[in-house]
Amino acid sequence: MTAQRTWTGRWVAERAGVGLVGSDHLPDLVGLALRENRKRAHLLVSTVLGKHVPQRPSVVHGAGLDLGLRVRALLGAEAAARAVVLGYAETATALGHSVADVLDAPCLHSTRRPVPGVRPLGGFAEEHSHATAHLLLPADPRLLAGDGPLVLVDDELSTGTTVLNTIRELHARHPRSHYVLVALVDLRTEADRHRLADFAAELGVRLDLVATASGAVRLPGDILDRAERLIADVGPAPELPPAATPAPLVRVPLDWPTALPDGGRHGFTPADRARLDAALPRLAGQLADALGGGLGGSLGGGLGDGDGGGGGLVGELPDRILVLGFEELMYAPLRLAGALADRLGGDRVRYSTTTRSPVLAVDDPGYAIRTRLAFPAHDDPQDDAPRERYAYNVAPGADPDRRFGAVVLVVDDVADTAALAEGERALLTQLRQVTDRVVLAVLPSYRPEAPVHPSLPFPEPSAFPEPLAFPEPLAFPQPLAFPQPLRGPGFSSYRPDEVAWLLKDLSGVPLEAPTEEREEAVQHGGAHYAESLPVEYRPSPEYQELYHQALRASARRMAVAVGTVAETLLRERGRGLVLASLARAGTPVGILVRRWLAFAHGFDAPHYAVSIVRGRGLDPVALRYLAAHHHASGVVFVDGWTGKGAITRELAAALAGTSFDPGLAVLADPGRCVRTYGTRDDFLIPSACLNSTVSGLVSRTVLRGDLIGPDDFHGAKHYTELADGDVSAAFLDTVAGHFAAVRDEVALAAGRLATDPDRTPDWAGWAAVERIAAEYGIGSVNLVKPGVGETTRVLLRRVPWRVLARRGAGADLDHVRLLAAQRGVPVEEVDDLPYTCVGLIHPRYSRGATGASGTAVVGEA
């Protein structure tokens, strides 16, 4: 460590007792910070990676090139010519590219962004991360099918578990004899080193390691508690003071080469590398012109305030310029930053990227993360609400010498959304407060050509070969012991044989918040919907009577749908069938399917309830439990109905690359996004009318870092205090009471489904939702909730704006009309609606926009 500067791990070392030992130059490569993650409290902050700490692009690229030279020397020319490089998202995507630059090898990086139209080749888990799921999305599956060395590149090896998961996954598909692990720092324990060596011996492969430095992190036994106290003592990062005059904002139309990938999400070949190298001088010239005010128009429409011409910066270049990449999009911004530095000369340019990782900021020279800009995500349409993203060490803090005179933000077109620029917390808004000029460069997100219908978010199954089978049991790292499933009557009012809940009991934890307060927190990016619970709706006598009327009217129809699904699953899966219902709306359906199998075939199928959280995925501990206790090929996931298909997509992404079948079975599929269903009609499933009192007195599931540890199931509450209004058992008994009467009808319906050539999902519901969002000026499809069930949920749990009802819809909507009247929400009758009704969540909710009572105000969108 150089004597001239303070080590940026000193603050954490002194206060949290964290020690760093190893190579002499290790402190030059990493500092320390505390992260808001109960899985692992400390964060090693690389000084040469270009993620959290702005650095010279030559240093960042050079760190990867140095590793690449060592890999080439290890492999020799012949083997290096056959190598393929795989980098890890999000931090090591550019590092992997840089290693591949030396080898002139094709490269791929993992991703956390599902891409419509691209079927995952595989996936794996990174257990300690804030976002554990990785997908592999090569445009050409043959990229990973060769027999040459596979070079796996990460910024840090802490335990080796992630690379072990990767090798196990890929080796099952395409065995090879040689793997090379590459990292900036290797901090594994001896036990971890032996574990990986034993694993390689078990596979019969050669496994080499190349690292810039090695060492170990010494942690006190109570590090999680110490970190939690320190984070509480420091408090939230201070708000940015408003700038007297926001910096001008210029969009530069980069002349990006046609069809050139913007990174390695789908693969990056030597030919791609040559095209990028040839284009960089031209692209750097365009950025230099924009920085000097000579090129690029103002970002109109309120984004640039009409002042994009540059003011006093015309013809001038700032002394300090930051090129800021975007999460996984690291390599293209890095190369642009390097080319810009070469063009401008001097020591002007630094490079870093935004990130998903929440880290504490402390404005102290001995701490690696001095400042933090937190902003809503601007690229994730699957989330029910935007999660936060972060840009570290971009704002100057208390040291004016750290201020950047200009920031060049590089994003792809998927991230070039209104959320990037609109609102006080938007990233562009905040950047304009901390610098003198902002330049926005948008790269075309590479979309591989695939035989996919252009309107479909997922490929047609016939467009791809069948996925290769995985060995059993599923290759998940197994904890020494799993939590025990919960059963009634201790947890839920269901019989203990009806369902095993793979959940953690949070009944004693106060989690409820008023609907309006939750909606404001969720929509403004301060919270995820799964971190709290709505106050349970207590139905009025009038509404309870409507529920009973609906149950009487639709119980037989529901029994037919249950039987149709059960017979289809039994025919396709056999008696190894295991039911996994998505808690909680899917759980009554799972119990009914189980009851039908017992009634019609004398078969008691195992049934579990598992949690899935939009934007966070399926509970990984529950998935590991199922893999450890059952053959994955027999597990089927069950829900009540589909809306636009968001949960279907979430499930598919969560199960990508595993042995589990991502197909979802539902009673009603009006969204036309699953293959196994009882009907595709949008009819009222009466359990949608109520909350816990028809679902075993169990709450929605909860996922919050301070309550759910890495080896815990997701959580939920058992509302024993609502037992006097519980109709869960009566609901099941009423529907099951029709089983004998509908047996022949079920046989016909299941037979028709078995021979139906039109079972393939066409995702028509998703297209309808996009059309409705556009017609009503709603910026996110997540605020459009189609179907009777989803509309009911909007009225019970969210802040509704209006309800669209298909003209002429009858008694199926009586309960919707009553709830709407109670909430003061208008119901509009419309033509050409593919659903019986659609609920719209208030698109610009704040308590000021809806009134203090939370009753929706009708107004312009």
Side-chain angles (χ1 to χ4, degrees), residues 491-492 503-512 533 692 696-702 715-721:
F491 186 87
S492 88
L503 295 174
K504 180 179 181 179
D505 189 355
L506 300 178
S507 299
V509 181
L511 293 166
E512 290 75 14
L533 292 172
S692 66
L697 298 180
V698 173
S699 73
R700 294 190 64 165
T701 58
V702 174
K717 298 181 73 169
H718 177 200
Y719 290 121
T720 55
E721 65 273 20

Side-chain angles (χ1 to χ4, degrees), residues 293-315:
L295 182 71
S298 162
L299 287 177
L303 303 187
D305 297 332
D307 56 3
L313 285 175
V314 175

Side-chain angles (χ1 to χ4, degrees), residues 3 275 371 393 407 505 611 661 742 827:
R275 292 184 66 205
T371 62
N393 294 313
V407 175
D505 189 355
S611 169
D661 186 337
V742 301
V827 178

Side-chain angles (χ1 to χ4, degrees), residues 645-711:
I647 287 296
T648 309
R649 298 174 69 183
E650 191 77 48
L651 183 67
L655 299 179
T658 74
S659 303
F660 291 97
D661 186 337
L664 183 65
V666 299
L667 296 189
D669 179 35
R672 301 182 65 87
C673 51
V674 302
R675 295 188 72 254
T676 304
Y677 51 84
T679 178
R680 278 183 164 159
D681 295 337
D682 183 17
F683 81 100
L684 173 61
I685 296 175
S687 57
C689 297
L690 300 174
N691 286 328
S692 66
T693 53
V694 77
S695 304
L697 298 180
V698 173
S699 73
R700 294 190 64 165
T701 58
V702 174
L703 179 58
R704 208 172 78 190
D706 60 329
L707 299 174
I708 307 301
D711 294 326

